[in-house]
């Protein structure tokens, strides 16, 4: 069908204005976003969700997620919101426009076409805009189902997992996508905003104070206490963005050159300081001189590990200008606004020899050495919890993991300020860790100070630095790995209460009870559960960056497979898109199989064997229904490694369904998604 439109940009504005008539919502400070200048609309985010998706998604250093082939409109929060799709399906946000009336399907398709055409501000002539509505029919038995039926998720795997009540994934910081990092930064900013209310327990400051007042070190409660602390902090983040999880920092990755860490990446790139174009405008409004602004503009998007290295990149004249208190504070404010994961009281890898007053290394000044892969392997080989995690009150002992890597990473990231302000009074030194009385809340003025050590140096200030969290997430991940190797070695006092909460040490033994797991990277394709899948063929998954990265296991997962009426085998092939029931199992691309035990013929009435709802009714105390859809996993590590070794730069998953008669079954398997996961 077609519809005469003078200008699709104006049509978009008119449609939204009409649909939102009478609504007072300001959309998180955006106001009437449809009236924004086009250049601002193209980069606008609504509570962390980009209204107009970028033209092409970027890939991080080791992401296994390729640039998606999904239309730009399908990846745009605006279209998702107008259609009432996640996260605008009521789980996180209501449908757009808020407190308004729904936009018609025809108008949504016009707006989607405008986005896919690059959001032109004008049209060549009075154009007839063709509106193509998606087909609903499903092709059964095809090698690859219509992409409209199996789109790549426009968000990320955690968004999908959150909606379906599955374990969410804590990912490797260096493998996260830009979207995942921005969601994490957004949630952190929301916690910082609550600091203006000192009594609000949800604020970042109050959450950090738990560590200052209650942290456990030097005995067996170290690991259980911090597992709860991470969980509680993660819950606070998820109050603002439900699919955000706490990422971990694997400091033994090659980029950090653990044998000579001062020559490596130092800290994750996502936690480094950087300026944006908006930062320059911000500094101009703070009356930073033009000479400095011109030089700072040349540093936009460059990464710096600390304020020290940022200032070192400036000329002497500009450094002198920006060292003036007002300008220095403006620079710190701009860097914090650009990246909520950066922290000014952090001097990683910066150490000064007390005798020579010259720069030195952690090994020479502190006599700690940066943890290497060999160190971590030795820790994982320890046999008892007393050695690994610490002793009980009957047999006190520091656990090795509590000392190195834990203590070392605190010292490494805290570092020593090469330009401390020695005029400050001793009681004002926030991280000398010697005085508890009279301590006050953390404030912005603290971030302008120049203490001799970074905040990570002291347990009283460490949790104020955002890098505290991914370090402890990695400690928790290593504990989980050790638990798999030593399943019967636990703390002695399992009934010990972990103050200030009511959890006990025994409650923490299975991290899955807290709703998360650890993965290095993942990619996921939702499917249409109402349509049988005969042979599923995924999009190509870029793995070129995984060549130089360690991973212990690769898994193909089938998500939420309902009870099937007949038994079957599901064969998994990698990089064999035309695999079928006749493809031999000794084929180089054969990766494994799983078997599903069939439900059999139902003996009950209508609805007897239907899958139960994803969420139980309130006050429903009955146990899990036996018809609840299940997840299945296939270990494909061996085949993935072989393909990488032979030069493969991408992977493509093919699922072939074989019935009990060993023939392809085209009308049996149903599932909600397929994912490829890399685990440490």
């Amino acid at each position: 069908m077609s519809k005469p439109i003078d200008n699709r940009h104006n049509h978009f504005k008119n449609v939204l204005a009409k649909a939102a008539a009478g609504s007072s919502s300001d959309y998180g400070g955006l106001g009437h976003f449809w009236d924004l200048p086009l250049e601002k609309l193209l980069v606008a985010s609504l509570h962390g969700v980009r209204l107009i998706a970028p033209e092409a998604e970027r890939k991080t250093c080791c992401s296994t997620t390729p640039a998606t082939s999904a239309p730009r409109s399908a990846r745009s929060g605006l279209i998702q919101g107008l259609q009432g799709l996640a996260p605008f399906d009521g789980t996180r946000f209501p449908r757009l426009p808020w407190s308004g009336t729904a936009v018609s399907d025809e108008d949504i398709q016009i707006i989607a076409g405008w986005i896919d055409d690059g959001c032109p501000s004008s049209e060549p002539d009075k154009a007839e805009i063709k509106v193509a509505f998606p087909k609903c029919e499903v092709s059964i038995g095809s090698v690859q189902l219509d992409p409209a039926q199996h789109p790549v998720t426009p968000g990320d795997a955690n968004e999908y997992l959150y909606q379906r009540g599955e374990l969410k994934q804590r990912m490797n910081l260096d493998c996260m996508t830009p979207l995942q990092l921005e969601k994490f930064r957004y949630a952190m900013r929301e916690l910082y905003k609550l600091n203006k209310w000192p009594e609000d327990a949800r604020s970042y400051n109050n959450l950090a104070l738990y560590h200052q007042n209650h942290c456990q070190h030097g005995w067996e409660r170290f690991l259980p206490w911090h597992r709860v602390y991470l969980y509680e902090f993660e819950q606070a983040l998820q109050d603002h963005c439900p699919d955000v999880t706490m990422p971990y920092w694997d400091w033994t990755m090659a980029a950090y050159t653990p044998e000579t860490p001062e020559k490596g990446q130092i800290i994750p790139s996502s936690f480094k300081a950087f300026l944006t174009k908006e930062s320059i405008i911000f500094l101009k409004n703070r009356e930073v001189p033009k000479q400095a602004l011109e030089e700072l503009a040349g540093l936009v998007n460059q990464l710096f590990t600390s304020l020290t290295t940022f200032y070192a990149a400036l000329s002497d004249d500009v450094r002198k200008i920006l060292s003036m208190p007002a300008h220095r504070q403006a620079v710190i404010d701009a860097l914090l606004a650009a990246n909520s994961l950066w922290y000014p009281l952090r001097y990683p890898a910066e150490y000064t020899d007390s005798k020579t007053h010259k720069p030195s290394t952690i090994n020479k000044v502190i006599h700690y050495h940066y943890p290497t892969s060999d160190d971590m392997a030795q820790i994982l080989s320890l046999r008892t919890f007393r050695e690994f995690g610490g002793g009980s009150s009957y047999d006190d002992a520091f656990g090795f993991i509590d000392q190195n890597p834990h203590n070392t990473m605190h010292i490494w990231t805290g570092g020593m300020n090469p330009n401390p302000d020695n005029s400050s009074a001793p009681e004002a030194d926030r991280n000398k860790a010697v005085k508890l009385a009279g301590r006050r809340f953390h404030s912005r003025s603290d971030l302008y100070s120049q203490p001799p050590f970074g905040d990570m140096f002291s347990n009283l200030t460490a949790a104020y630095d955002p890098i505290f969290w991914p370090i402890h997430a990695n400690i928790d991940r290593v504990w989980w790995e050790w638990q798999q190797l030593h399943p019967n070695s636990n703390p002695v006092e399992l009934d010990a209460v972990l103050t200030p909460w009511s959890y006990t040490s025994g409650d923490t033994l299975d991290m899955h009870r807290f709703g998360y797991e650890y993965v290095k990277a993942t990619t996921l394709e939702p499917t249409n559960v109402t349509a049988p899948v005969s042979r599923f063929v995924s999009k190509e998954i870029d793995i070129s960056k995984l060549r130089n990265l360690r991973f212990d296991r690769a898994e193909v997962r089938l998500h939420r497979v309902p009870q099937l009426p007949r038994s079957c085998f599901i064969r998994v092939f990698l990089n064999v898109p035309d695999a079928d029931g006749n493809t031999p199992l000794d084929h180089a691309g054969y990766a494994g199989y799983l078997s599903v035990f069939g439900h059999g013929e139902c003996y009950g009435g209508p609805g007897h064997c239907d899958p139960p709802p994803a969420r139980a009714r309130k006050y429903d105390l009955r146990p899990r229904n036996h018809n609840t859809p299940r997840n299945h996993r296939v270990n494909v590590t061996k085949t993935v490694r072989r393909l990488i070794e032979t030069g493969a730069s991408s992977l493509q998953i093919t699922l072939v369904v074989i019935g009990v008669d060993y023939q392809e079954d085209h009308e049996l398997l149903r599932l909600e998604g397929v994912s490829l996961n890399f685990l440490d």
Side-chain angles (χ1 to χ4, degrees), residues 265-267 272-273 303-307 309 342 346 348 350:
Q265 190 172 290
I266 309 296
I267 58 173
K272 293 182 179 181
L303 300 177
F304 302 93
T305 57
S306 68
L307 201 59
T309 57
W342 176 71
R346 181 197 301 157
E350 296 177 31

Side-chain angles (χ1 to χ4, degrees), residues 48 66 87 96 98 100 102 110 126 132 136 145 202 243 381 447 480 512 542 582-583 679:
L96 291 177
W98 295 343
I110 292 172
K126 272 193 175 184
C136 297
L145 297 184
R202 304 169 302 156
D243 49 291
S381 71
L447 303 186
W480 180 250
H512 295 152
D542 182 17
N582 296 317
T583 305
L679 296 90

Side-chain angles (χ1 to χ4, degrees), residues 82 173 272 295 339 412:
L82 294 177
L173 259 176
K272 293 182 179 181
E295 191 166 315
N339 185 9
W412 173 257

